[in-house]
Amino acid sequence: MATFQIIWERSNRSNPDVVNSVQPNVLIIGAGPAGLAAAGYLAEKGITPLLVEQGLFAGGHAGSLPCQAVQACAKCGACLLEEAATRARLAGVSLKCRSILVSATKNGAVYQVTISSGPDYIDANRCSNCDQCYQICPVAGQALIKSPVRFGPQYGLQIEKCPPGCRACQEACPDKAIDLAAQARREELTVQAILLTAGFTPFDARLKPRLGYGRLPDVLTAMNLDHLLRDHQPLVRPSTGLPPANLAFIQCVGSRDVSIGRDYCSRVCCGYAMRLAKLVRHRWPAIKVTIFYMDLQNAGRNFDQFYREVKGQVTLIPAIPGEINLDDQGRLMVPYMDGATGLRHDSRFDLVVLSVGLGPPVLSGLDSFNLTKDTDGFPESRVDAGLWVAGAAAGPRGVAEAIASAERAAAEIAAMVKRS
Amino acid sequence: MNSPAQLIPVQVWPRVLIIGSAPVAGLLVDRLTAIGVEAVWAGGKALEGKAQGEQVIPEAELIAFTGLTGRFRAVFSTLGDRQEIQAGAVVLCSEELRVPYFTPQPGRILTVSTAEEELAGKGFTDWLPGGPRQIALVAGAGQVSSVGTIRRMMALAGKLVERTKGSVYFFAPHVKVASSGLERLYGQLREKGVVFLRTPEQGPSFDTSGERIRIRLFDPVARAELSLIPDLVIVEEALRPAPQLAAWADLMGLELAPDRFIGPDNVLYWPVLTNRRGIYALGPARGTDDEEQLAGQVSAVITEISNLLGTTQVQVPPVALQSNRCASCLTCLRVCPHGAIDFDYQPSFHPLACQACGTCASTCPGQAISYDGLIEPDLRARMGTALTRPKVEEGFSPRLMLFGCQRSAMTALEAVSGESHSRELAVQALPCGGYLDVNLVLTSLQSKGNQPGADGVMIAVCHQDNCRSMTGSPTARQRFTYLQSILKTISIEPTRLGLVTLAPNMGMELKHMIKEFRDRVLALGPLGTR
């Protein structure tokens, strides 16, 4: 099909004001589902939040989650990101992407904060989302990428991936929204409260070298698989480009592991892997799916029925393989102890997906507060100092729970701001 | 589409009614009182120990429930009397109903609850004369354990291993540790000497025929069958919906989830919302027994109630009644998924409860309910500009009409709006799948004067169980089937009609779906030339 324009008014869907002249009351760090929900809540209460996001777009990790529905909704909560984004958009929330908190100091009842932003190669205020830049970009999808959510900037440029000297997008833009020479800038603000919703840091699977991530191309993380499914790409073995005959998930990579100081369950991965397994089976019925687990954790309400459905189409093995190697045909050799016999069993897979655990966020600009950590190593709120932590930044949780916790924090912040 | 929001004042009675005797109800009363919200607690059992001045209805049984969001009226029978309570919001906190995984036998098979009570009430030596040598805790055993019960069983195992010189065994197919601190507790128990054994999902093999119970299990590490003759077995109990939940749901017009607990099993209603705004359910009424989740639910209820009680004005619902057409048939009252219709000879639409889904408007047999902002002439105009554009390519290019739910399809479409769709595609947003009007679809297929109709109509609504109005998506499916039968009757290929379900984050999928549908209609050829 040639390029066509859809007949549909977009006028009521323009980008929000990225620069807001009203002084914000509350700084929210991280524009994932939690940050968006909190910002929307505060703005609805007449409080002005400013969302800063270090990535190119709003959405956070949830932005790459595919919908896991098969016949009916799988209750993964991924779509709640869009709900939170719509809420923030309708409430007129201000968002600065590509921005980090440099420093924050408490000055009486307020915070003096310094934010470093940009460079904003694409001015979201001018951009009309006409897509002409994307269509002309010789490396579209790599240098020029699109936002996963319908709030905030819709296009982002990773200039380090641009072909040298290429100015195609800037020249093609009818809105003069692209400036490849844009510079980063700093900004100082005064706010009454800070909400940290910086999300989680996924466990770096390279720290478990025997599992082969980074060394064996057919070993992926669940996040790699998310991207493939979300973008509706074919599922293939990176080593051969051919579809896999089978696939295995390995749970608890970077969770429930005292040896790496992760003495906690990441809570979301079991339900997540089981749903993904069902989705893979649904889209590619020929692919056989196995899940290696320690203990399968419950996911959502009515887990009994969901679990029965999973058992009907996925092989569940109560063992966590410790190493993955290649066999002489280039397939992945995954040894484990068979619980029925106690004997070592060598299984072969075309693809292995590691369910990496959720770790605490990397904090920036909050050094002066000596934030205390909970027993799992996640930062804790300091309500007395006007600093809240919510969402997955406060502990491993899924999208729905992250949003609920952010709303609770936002309600407390709203009460505090209105008192002062 | 969106007309400027028109606000009207609303009244919310500043009182919260809490029904049920779960321990969390007391906590909720205290939290609400602390923020200055008046709470009335209608509990099943005696509610001793509550401070004076608190309003308590003991031995309360709900017998009638009327009113709408912000002004509910509940009637209770209490100690042979009747009492009516008016409240702006209602919270359901029924107590736990526990069903043991297998029949307890006094002295040798106890439930977790009984073991907790006995351990709290007596010294351990009184409890098991002679001192126990071996105690087995059995979780799972053919059913799914809950993380809340596993937490209680771990606490019990910890106390038992500290107080006995014997051995404590913990049998489970899956140790549920997905809550705060549980993985650490699990590690500590193993250090203290609790032996955790993985069982098959149906549990270990039990032999209760003899005087002593015998448990058999294959141990893969020792590669041998392990046989245990415990002095005491403590079995898990499942959390089941309390019998009053179904009665409450019936009286209050609430949806029960497939597991028979309150509240739709729908992520948009997570963690405490029900299908009626202003009525919330938490804890055992919702199938939750984990303390971490429960704490989150309590805070969520407080936030929701504060918002609701602080509401003084809301947007006018986009639905309006043409009284002369209304036959008072009650259809709207029956189909409204949000309990938002007040019926006094004729319906009125409650602004606090209405979610603007339009289900009433599309279902009304007398077409007496109009939905502001979505009217047929508007659709005609859209199709006029969209579908009569001159053809660029040679040959047939199908004219397509897409009816999409605002929440899912329209958001998804926006994600790929700059990309290649069919230029022959006209789009009409629906507030909800429940608004899909049969006439609207038929009109779009019809040519009028020199304006041709669509060659194919695609309907895109939310996934089942992911619809904000619960019944919207199934309603759209029903009407789709009905429309197909109409098309068949009038000799139009039913495949000119397509139905897809999707989530708002499925832009790429929607693009594929549109392309597939276009190919299908392309193969069918222009409508009406056969």
Side-chain angles (χ1 to χ4, degrees), chain A residues 67 73-81 83 275 299-301 398-401 403-404, chain B residues 263-273 286 407 463-468 470 503-504:
Chain A
C67 170
C73 172
K75 285 110 189 180
C76 71
C79 60
L80 298 177
L81 170 66
E83 303 278 320
R275 292 189 198 103
R301 292 178 69 168
V399 178
E401 289 163 296
I403 288 175
Chain B
D265 183 9
N266 179 324
V267 287
L268 298 166
Y269 286 79
W270 202 90
V272 293
L273 305 184
R286 219 181 171 85
R407 174 187 169 260
H463 289 303
Q464 188 197 322
D465 297 345
N466 191 234
C467 171
R468 181 166 292 289
M470 274 75 67

Side-chain angles (χ1 to χ4, degrees), chain B residues 147-206:
Chain B
V147 68
T149 328
I150 292 280
R151 189 190 289 278
R152 285 166 60 196
M153 292 179 78
M154 282 195 186
L156 207 50
K159 282 182 192 156
L160 291 170
V161 80
E162 276 166 19
R163 295 195 201 174
T164 67
K165 291 195 175 66
S167 315
V168 178
Y169 296 88
F170 198 116
F171 293 88
H174 302 277
V175 183
K176 308 283 181 180
V177 289
S179 186
S180 57
L182 276 190
E183 171 68 8
R184 195 161 294 104
L185 179 59
Y186 178 41
Q188 287 162 357
L189 290 176
R190 279 176 296 173
E191 272 173 32
K192 282 184 188 166
V194 177
V195 180
F196 282 81
L197 291 161
R198 186 196 297 281
T199 71
E201 304 234 308
Q202 68 272 21
S205 130
F206 273 92

Side-chain angles (χ1 to χ4, degrees), chain B residues 437-481:
Chain B
D437 193 317
V438 171
N439 291 329
L440 209 59
V441 176
L442 292 176
T443 308
S444 68
L445 286 164
Q446 212 174 7
S447 58
K448 200 172 189 179
N450 57 355
Q451 276 187 9
D455 298 308
V457 175
M458 189 172 165
I459 298 156
V461 295
C462 299
H463 289 303
Q464 188 197 322
D465 297 345
N466 191 234
C467 171
R468 181 166 292 289
S469 298
M470 274 75 67
T471 57
S473 175
T475 301
R477 186 171 289 279
Q478 258 174 24
R479 292 188 184 156
F480 165 75
T481 314

Side-chain angles (χ1 to χ4, degrees), chain B residues 366-378:
Chain B
Q367 299 185 355
I369 302 172
S370 63
Y371 191 96
D372 180 34
L374 251 181
I375 45 170
E376 234 172 275
D378 180 26

